[in-house]
Amino acid sequence: MSARPGPVPRRRPARPQRPVRPGAGPTEGGSPILRRLVVVAVAAVAAIVLYRVLVARPHVTNATPRGETVVCFGDSLTAGTGAPAGASYPDQLARLIGRPVINAGVPGDTTAAALARLERVVLARAPRIVCITLGGNDLKNGVPREEAFAALETIVRRIHVTGALVVVGGIDIPLLGRGFGSAYRDLAEETGAVLIPDVLDGIMGSPALMSDTIHPNADGYAVMAARFHRALRPYL
């Protein structure tokens, strides 16, 4: 007997191919590589925004300050050594903000000496905002950095307890600064004080703005006043 031929398999009709749009990738909606690049770009933008919100914008203690007065507390840079009467930076700051400013500066003050008079000249005056220039005499007199900034940190924290905002005018002298510049930054990060990293930047060494090798003249103090004004203006 001869074998019967088996059933002939059916052939499926070929699917019609979709026309390829000009510029379209191998998958609909664009190239997978392009989509991944878009996702990476969006993630990068989100990371930058998050960094600016959480990291680059430092915490400020007492950003809504209590108290009544604005006090400038410090050494000869606050007292106005080298400028005529009425031209210290506290005097010029008062004109910028349109309200009285107490000048509690004493030439030659170190951080330890300032701490000793803090209660009487600052805390007893119901401070709302306190601007500080301290540390220059510690640097000049060879006071160890750790000792100077321990006293300065105590000053800042005791002012903060009253509900006042603190603005610190730092000093950053290249090569001769003994690390004071970075210590001011560490202080601000740890306490939440507002920091002007180098209050004498562009002033020291400029004959037009200095009365001697250390102290500004009236024009130099005007620059300082403008810097303190910019720093404290959001919190007035």
Side-chain angles (χ1 to χ4, degrees):
M1 295 178 62
S2 60
R4 287 186 177 182
V8 178
R10 292 183 180 179
R11 300 181 66 182
R12 284 185 167 181
R15 290 185 179 180
Q17 292 186 349
R18 294 182 181 179
V20 179
R21 295 189 301 272
T27 62
E28 190 171 355
S31 165
I33 296 176
L34 180 60
R35 287 206 305 274
R36 283 197 293 270
L37 289 175
V38 170
V39 170
V40 170
V42 171
V45 171
I48 291 170
V49 171
L50 191 64
Y51 172 82
R52 289 180 175 176
V53 170
L54 298 180
V55 180
R57 191 178 297 175
H59 167 70
V60 174
T61 301
N62 300 334
T64 305
R66 302 192 301 270
E68 302 171 4
T69 59
V70 177
V71 182
C72 292
F73 181 51
D75 47 30
S76 56
L77 293 179
T78 296
T81 300
S88 67
Y89 102 74
D91 288 314
Q92 300 194 58
L93 179 61
R95 292 191 283 273
L96 289 172
I97 65 175
R99 61 188 295 177
V101 172
I102 298 170
N103 188 333
V106 172
D109 239 10
T110 60
T111 53
L115 177 58
R117 63 188 182 93
L118 176 67
E119 178 69 39
R120 174 173 50 87
V121 301
V122 178
L123 304 185
R125 288 171 158 166
R128 179 179 178 82
I129 296 175
V130 180
C131 301
I132 294 177
T133 62
L134 286 168
N137 289 307
D138 298 81
L139 177 61
K140 178 171 67 73
N141 297 342
V143 176
R145 181 183 62 188
E146 293 76 14
E147 179 182 329
F149 280 87
L152 186 54
E153 180 176 348
T154 301
I155 289 170
V156 171
R157 293 194 184 280
R158 287 185 60 185
I159 294 171
H160 278 160
V161 168
T162 70
L165 176 89
V166 175
V167 181
V168 175
I171 298 172
D172 193 356
I173 301 175
L175 302 179
L176 302 176
R178 293 198 288 122
F180 272 49
S182 61
Y184 283 111
R185 291 190 288 273
D186 293 342
L187 173 75
E189 291 176 4
E190 292 167 6
T191 63
V194 177
L195 177 65
I196 303 170
D198 185 4
V199 76
L200 293 177
D201 182 37
I203 301 173
M204 183 171 281
S206 174
L209 300 175
M210 297 290 287
S211 64
D212 56 38
T213 56
I214 297 175
H215 302 101
N217 57 23
D219 292 335
Y221 284 124
V223 176
M224 283 183 59
R227 287 174 177 162
F228 276 102
H229 183 219
R230 283 194 299 271
L232 63 81
R233 182 169 51 195
Y235 311 102
L236 284 172

